[in-house]
Amino acid sequence: MEKCRYYNDHHTAVTLMIDDILPGAVTFDGEVAPWNDWGYGGREDNSLFKHLENNLLSRFPHVKGTFFIAAKSFDSLKLQTGYFLRFRKENDFFKRFLKDVASYFDVGFHGIYHGKFLDINKPTFRNNWLQEFEYLSIQDISWLKEEILKFENEFEIKMTGGKYPGYKKNQDSEKILETLGFKWWCSSSKMINKKSPEN
């Protein structure tokens, strides 16, 4: 979880930023708990959001946040990576969840797949993973527009900004974002746990 502060004329608001929210959980034993829930639990007991709601959001209503979502990133985790994966296939559950938490959380774009394995036959993330904006090019813009629109229509949300997966980018990344029309973007790892003028 990352946090940064936004200032205005009257007060300071703390903003939570949570990466990779999806209707899934990644566990070693199949049990879902706040620390391994990526959105599988929605607002149910023992979920990430219920933990945040009970321990932070209900006590500090001025806290707002952003869930960063990569539309299809769970696909890369379906390989033999040593984890037990739980995934809700019913989109209505996740759609309701996103609507329920809209008073606290915005949804920011975090790529389509988040990244890819360099060698699909060795599904380990160490030295075998490229973040999505490291390999996207100008030629991918129409595909990105189409995928973003499909996702926004399906889940009835609008993503006005986002964040580079792993804060990694290439020479085309900024032009891609400009063409896609995002209004804000988190582009520097300097933002982790503090306010950063680069974002």
Side-chain angles (χ1 to χ4, degrees), residues 25-32 35-36 81-85:
V26 180
T27 79
F28 285 111
D29 58 9
E31 295 297 316
V32 178
W35 53 87
N36 62 30
T81 56
Y83 294 101
F84 184 91
L85 307 175

Side-chain angles (χ1 to χ4, degrees), residues 94-113:
F94 198 58
K95 187 188 293 185
R96 281 193 310 275
F97 170 61
L98 292 178
K99 283 186 174 182
D100 283 348
V101 302
S103 61
Y104 288 114
F105 284 87
D106 188 12
V107 177
F109 182 64
H110 201 42
I112 303 299
Y113 291 104

Side-chain angles (χ1 to χ4, degrees), residues 91-158:
N91 287 341
D92 286 344
F93 175 88
F94 198 58
K95 187 188 293 185
R96 281 193 310 275
F97 170 61
L98 292 178
K99 283 186 174 182
D100 283 348
V101 302
S103 61
Y104 288 114
F105 284 87
D106 188 12
V107 177
F109 182 64
H110 201 42
I112 303 299
Y113 291 104
H114 200 294
K116 67 180 180 182
F117 288 108
L118 296 171
D119 183 348
I120 200 73
N121 298 311
K122 296 178 183 176
T124 175
F125 293 102
R126 187 182 300 273
N127 301 320
N128 191 32
W129 183 259
L130 269 182
Q131 301 289 2
E132 190 163 287
F133 278 87
E134 289 183 278
Y135 59 83
L136 288 176
S137 71
I138 299 297
Q139 288 72 35
D140 293 311
I141 290 174
S142 60
W143 169 75
L144 282 165
K145 277 184 183 175
E146 184 180 320
E147 290 295 327
I148 290 168
L149 187 61
K150 274 196 282 189
F151 186 83
E152 289 179 331
N153 288 340
E154 183 174 2
F155 290 98
E156 299 173 10
I157 59 170
K158 178 68 179 164

Side-chain angles (χ1 to χ4, degrees), residues 18 20-26 32-54 57 67 86-102 104-105 155:
I18 301 175
D20 306 327
I21 197 76
L22 283 170
V26 180
V32 178
W35 53 87
N36 62 30
D37 177 26
W38 291 16
Y40 180 89
R43 291 183 83 172
E44 296 172 354
D45 289 341
N46 223 25
S47 69
L48 169 65
F49 189 77
K50 185 55 86 174
H51 178 77
L52 287 173
E53 200 169 39
N54 290 344
L57 302 175
F67 283 141
R86 296 190 68 173
F87 189 66
R88 290 188 190 265
K89 295 191 178 188
E90 63 274 21
N91 287 341
D92 286 344
F93 175 88
F94 198 58
K95 187 188 293 185
R96 281 193 310 275
F97 170 61
L98 292 178
K99 283 186 174 182
D100 283 348
V101 302
Y104 288 114
F105 284 87
F155 290 98

